[in-house]
Amino acid sequence: MPELNQPIVGPSERPAEVLIDPIVGVDLGGTKILARMIEPSTGRAVGRVKAQTPSGVENVLATVAEVVRQVPGWDEAVGIGLGVPGLVETDGTVNRCPNIDGWDEPVAVAAELIERLGKPVVVANDVNCGAVAEHRAGAGRGMDNFLAVFVGTGVGGGLIVDGKLAEGKRGMVGEIGHVTVDKNGRMCGCGERGHLEAYAGRAGIDAEARRRAKAGSSSLLIDLAGQGSVRSRHIERGLAENDQLTIELMQEAADALGHALGNAATLLDLERIVLGGGVMDKLGEEFLESITSSESFGGFGPSVVDLVLAQRIDDAGAVGAAIVAADRFG
Ligand SMILES: [Zn+2]
């Protein structure tokens, strides 16, 4: 069992017992597992317990159960919501988690945890949890038809339709990173060609910058990243220093995002699209503006939808997981 941090309840937080219908929200990530006690109706969170993510499915499940039991007020919790970085079927089976060592086959996570914890458990995709947190407690409050898109290493999204998280049969609703923006375009990490993620995700930007650098373009971006990966702060610096390749790549990223988001807004009659994730957090309003003003903006254009930055809720994954669980418990 990995060493657990001591549970911490901040002095300004009220004790867990006064939360209404509290649920333990858990964010299972590639490096850490974090659990908090959440009031789903407001997104308010108290207590925080963390552990390192071990390798191997059995160790991961045992650590999740242990972390949950250590959350202050656990006895009062009506259930558990768990966000995982993988595709989740509606019965709580997680098909695989590429970011977690040794998890490459389907596991009935909800059933396993119900057995260990004796309370109801709902499992959801972590990006969907982030979208739900923005919907309930962030920039999507009050919106019934709303898409949250997170632009980081890859591009993921979560869709709210008529006030509810849309999940689909295979948990793939909101996978906007893999919509096609140019069928003859760049290779995506998934093996298909021309997907949004290959243009707007940091991994795609990194790969393209290195390809163009090899072909002779000078690149501050690659100089900054060196042997490591291109980070959002490198992109920010490249833009600030007017590096030509960075400017080109980010215009292509903005065009690809505008194209895909405009089509999504038109198809789904969205009220708002919220944009979060490392790239958006770093580049902020200026990059948002280049998406909105892109000539490639899809569908009926930017006037039909409101594009805003995410509110970056603390521990959004855990908060969202608890809300998804509460909505499922009814
Ligand atoms: Zn793809």
Side-chain angles (χ1 to χ4, degrees):
M1 177 67 56
E3 197 178 321
L4 299 177
N5 292 355
Q6 285 301 305
I8 302 160
V9 180
S12 64
E13 292 176 323
R14 291 193 280 164
E17 302 86 73
V18 304
L19 298 182
I20 297 163
D21 298 330
I23 288 183
V24 178
V26 188
D27 185 9
L28 167 56
T31 55
K32 71 172 196 292
I33 298 167
L34 179 145
R36 304 199 71 181
M37 188 67 84
I38 314 288
E39 182 174 67
S41 59
T42 59
R44 204 152 60 84
V46 298
R48 179 188 279 114
V49 183
K50 279 198 288 186
Q52 277 187 347
T53 306
S55 56
V57 173
E58 174 53 36
N59 292 335
V60 170
L61 293 175
T63 308
V64 167
E66 186 55 32
V67 165
V68 167
R69 281 193 210 97
Q70 300 231 355
V71 172
W74 149 244
D75 288 345
E76 318 299 324
V78 299
I80 300 104
L82 172 70
V84 300
L87 283 182
V88 184
E89 298 194 12
T90 44
D91 67 354
T93 298
V94 179
N95 279 321
R96 63 190 191 100
C97 290
N99 296 339
I100 296 177
D101 278 350
W103 192 325
D104 38 28
E105 56 185 30
V107 178
V109 174
E112 284 278 344
L113 289 174
I114 289 167
E115 175 102 21
R116 287 163 205 241
L117 292 165
K119 293 194 187 193
V121 177
V122 169
V123 183
N125 171 265
D126 58 353
V127 178
N128 281 342
C129 292
V132 166
E134 280 293 329
H135 179 238
R136 185 69 52 89
R141 266 194 309 264
M143 303 275 152
D144 277 343
N145 294 284
F146 156 80
L147 178 69
V149 176
F150 299 96
V151 185
T153 306
V155 178
L159 175 68
I160 308 291
V161 177
D162 295 337
K164 292 200 190 79
L165 177 68
E167 293 178 272
K169 183 173 163 51
R170 290 162 295 179
M172 289 196 338
V173 176
E175 286 281 355
I176 195 163
H178 302 284
V179 303
T180 306
V181 293
D182 177 358
K183 71 184 173 64
N184 299 315
R186 297 183 201 165
M187 283 303 290
C188 181
C190 73
E192 301 289 332
R193 197 171 274 288
H195 288 179
L196 170 62
E197 185 166 290
Y199 293 81
R202 268 196 313 262
I205 292 167
D206 182 297
E208 185 66 12
R210 287 176 200 280
R211 196 185 67 75
R212 293 194 199 176
K214 238 184 212 161
S217 299
S218 70
S219 173
L220 176 63
L221 212 50
I222 298 304
D223 294 345
L224 291 169
Q227 296 300 309
S229 306
V230 169
R231 310 297 307 164
S232 301
R233 66 174 186 276
H234 302 143
I235 297 172
E236 183 188 35
R237 171 113 175 258
L239 291 175
E241 298 198 10
N242 279 320
D243 174 59
Q244 199 51 42
L245 182 61
T246 311
I247 293 170
E248 271 172 38
L249 289 172
M250 294 319 289
Q251 184 60 52
E252 290 168 27
D255 288 342
L257 281 163
H259 184 72
L261 298 179
N263 282 329
T266 300
L267 173 68
L268 299 164
D269 196 6
L270 300 173
E271 297 169 79
R272 177 171 285 181
I273 298 175
V274 167
L275 285 144
V279 172
M280 296 307 309
D281 293 348
K282 203 66 173 168
L283 305 185
E285 290 290 347
E286 218 169 305
F287 187 53
L288 189 70
E289 173 55 32
S290 62
I291 296 169
T292 310
S293 62
S294 166
E295 288 180 3
S296 303
F297 206 94
F300 290 133
S303 63
V304 300
V305 67
D306 184 23
L307 258 61
V308 301
L309 293 174
Q311 279 188 8
R312 304 175 66 178
I313 298 155
D314 286 344
D315 302 324
V319 172
I323 295 170
V324 171
D327 288 350
R328 194 82 67 81
F329 296 154

